[in-house]
Amino acid sequence: RVDVRERRDGDMRRWLAVVAAVLLSGALAAGFHWAGVPVCAFHRFTGLPCLTCGSTRAVCALLAWRPWEALRLQPLVVGLLLLAVAAGAAETFNLVVRRRVVRLRLTRGEWRWAAVVGAALALLNWAYLMRAGV
């Protein structure tokens, strides 16, 4: 189900806080990457790629307009990032232009189904990362 309501006073502030937090996190991760600072303790201790291994390099490849390299490095994170950018653009359009807040509401069963699919995708992605040696 989709709920639509008029925008309220705090909606825009909350949305801007989310966008700022995402951009700050991305800038911090990119800064670590470009400085050559390894940030993955799991990989450092086990020698295996973690579930999100290659994400920072993949995002940097996307920012450098190398989408195929980004997909090779981390297909799940790149797909989720592109989905998040599209959803964020739609949310921004709804908030600013339409002055509406749109929310998707899932039932408990739908949430469980989404969690199972998400876990399966994560495991498949992790298997790909281990096989590809990313």
Side-chain angles (χ1 to χ4, degrees):
R1 281 130 321 277
V2 177
D3 290 336
V4 180
R5 67 167 170 79
E6 291 292 321
R7 184 179 79 190
R8 296 183 192 136
D9 290 338
D11 291 333
M12 187 63 80
R13 281 191 305 276
R14 277 190 293 280
W15 179 244
L16 291 175
V18 168
V19 170
V22 167
L23 292 176
L24 183 60
S25 299
L28 188 62
F32 281 135
H33 172 70
W34 283 318
V37 177
V39 292
C40 184
F42 182 84
H43 182 69
R44 195 171 342 140
F45 292 127
T46 66
L48 297 171
C50 71
L51 189 61
T52 60
C53 204
S55 297
T56 306
R57 289 175 285 146
V59 171
C60 289
L62 274 179
L63 292 174
W65 296 102
R66 297 189 313 262
W68 299 120
E69 180 183 348
L71 280 170
R72 182 187 61 76
L73 287 168
Q74 186 39 278
L76 183 62
V77 169
V78 168
L80 291 174
L81 178 64
L82 295 176
L83 183 64
V85 167
E91 180 73 7
T92 301
F93 177 80
N94 282 322
L95 273 171
V96 175
V97 177
R98 296 184 63 221
R99 300 180 63 81
R100 303 253 190 276
V101 173
V102 179
R103 293 289 175 255
L104 178 65
R105 292 178 53 227
L106 301 177
T107 65
R108 184 170 286 178
E110 291 166 339
W111 276 112
R112 272 191 231 121
W113 181 84
V116 168
V117 170
L121 286 174
L123 289 174
L124 285 171
N125 187 66
W126 198 15
Y128 164 77
L129 293 174
M130 285 195 250
R131 176 120 168 90
V134 172

